[in-house]
Amino acid sequence: MSRIVFRNARLFDGLQRGLQPASTVVVKDGSIDAVEPGDLPVDDAQVFDLAGRTLMPGLIDAHVHVTATIPDFFKLSMLPQSLVTAQSKDVLAGMLDRGFTTVRDAGGADAGLVQAVEQGIFAGPRLFIAGRALTQTGGHGDTRPAFFQNVGCACCGAVGILGHIADGVGAVRRAAREELRNGAHQIKVMAGGGISSPNDPLEGTQYSIEELTAIVQEAEAARTYVMAHAYSPAAIERAVRCGVRSIEHGNLLDEASARLMAEAGTFLVPTLATYAAIAANADRLGWSKAMKEKTDRVKHQGIEALRIARAAGVKIALGTDLLGDMHASQSDEFTLRLPAMPADEIVWSATAVNAELLGQSGRLGCIAPGAHADLLVIDGDPLTDISLLQQPKRVPVVMKQGSFHRCTLAPAR
């Protein structure tokens, strides 16, 4: 049988916000072949009668670190690359188990991991990678401890190394070109301070306007874009004015920076799950007092940033940014957003909005002829009860590119 058919599906297609009753979806050769209301007779097919269950696109996480197999970035950079690659196998499989059929890696994964997933060596979501994130000396991606002078030892590798240190317009142009040469789908830049780096303040700005502009120019020349790590309004506004496509985190967003983002069409990628997970694991992580204080601050302001962004009309994507064994909290992102966003809007962020961010509208995040057959079957309506996406038993089918990763339903024929 060359085709797979889902009948009697309540369809969330990623093209419209609501559910459509009693639809038929035909999968052929890894893609969606047909979508029809009602019942569509199909011969020579494996048929699944969903009996009113929801059929929806596979989920997309727009901010992950699949090679962050431990939460200490300096220790991670000292591990053998082969070991980090081997450890990432379970991270990737876990994401696919949770229904994430596509993820955007924000620093660490390389083209070899992309190929490992594409070739079926590792089970995992489709990967869009940034390679190593561009960072200034002493920036958020500079993981060297104080007084560690040998740049080569901590920054020469690929897998597991999140930062590419470069200073000056010429150097950042070369760094961006190097990441693109090595297979990056987009460029990541550290445009401000972060919580997991002990010495850079959250309000700080990183990279000059000239450097940020040069990085964006290099990405645009390669027909791609820049994603920018930024928390403070100053860092956000500088990055947006320089032409970045997405702001990662953005927890200290204010009304003025939100308006600027909306006017420019810049996406916001909040990552609430990581702050909740870090706060719950703070004692065992061994983080400094300053790092814990920064975490508490952004954790408490994350929901307010979402409210400000929604009010301004910013395009809100979905990311998680988890590290080490905290990857298991990936699906917590859905319910953590509920104080600021309704369930249907969160699902829209994880499908249609993220597909648009990736430049993959019509191929990902939707159920339409020609799209990749990345599909989930849900027992219930996730647009009203998004917690269903956190319960594997309520997600009996996970399909990626037309192949079942999980299927506990019996075919009708």
Side-chain angles (χ1 to χ4, degrees), residues 15 57 73 253 256:
L15 304 173
F73 290 136
L253 185 79

Side-chain angles (χ1 to χ4, degrees), residues 125-182:
R126 185 179 294 98
L127 279 168
F128 289 84
I129 63 167
R132 294 174 295 167
L134 273 55
T135 180
Q136 68 179 38
T137 295
H140 179 56
D142 183 350
T143 60
R144 298 170 300 165
F147 309 109
F148 191 94
Q149 300 298 325
N150 191 338
V151 175
C153 284
C155 301
C156 286
V159 174
I161 311 298
L162 272 67
H164 185 151
I165 300 171
D167 299 293
V169 170
V172 298
R173 286 191 186 277
R174 180 172 181 175
R177 292 170 182 174
E178 187 71 9
E179 296 309 320
L180 292 165
R181 182 185 74 85
N182 286 324

Side-chain angles (χ1 to χ4, degrees), residues 57-69 87-107 109 113 117 122-129 271 273-274 318-332 334 350 374-376 389-390 392 395 397-400 405-406:
L59 300 167
I60 304 170
D61 190 331
H63 192 119
V64 304
H65 295 285
V66 300
T67 60
T69 56
Q87 291 172 335
S88 70
K89 180 178 181 179
D90 289 342
V91 175
L92 288 161
M95 290 178 174
L96 189 55
D97 285 342
R98 291 185 284 274
F100 289 92
T101 53
T102 299
V103 298
R104 184 179 65 156
D105 192 272
L113 271 180
V117 173
F122 285 1
R126 185 179 294 98
L127 279 168
F128 289 84
I129 63 167
T271 56
T274 195
L318 183 139
T320 56
D321 192 32
L322 292 155
L323 313 172
D325 60 4
M326 290 179 281
H327 280 111
S329 300
Q330 186 178 25
S331 298
D332 290 356
F334 301 128
D374 296 353
L375 301 170
L376 306 180
L389 298 178
Q390 298 173 313
V395 188
V397 172
V398 176
M399 171 181 280
K400 178 194 165 194
H405 173 70
R406 177 169 71 243

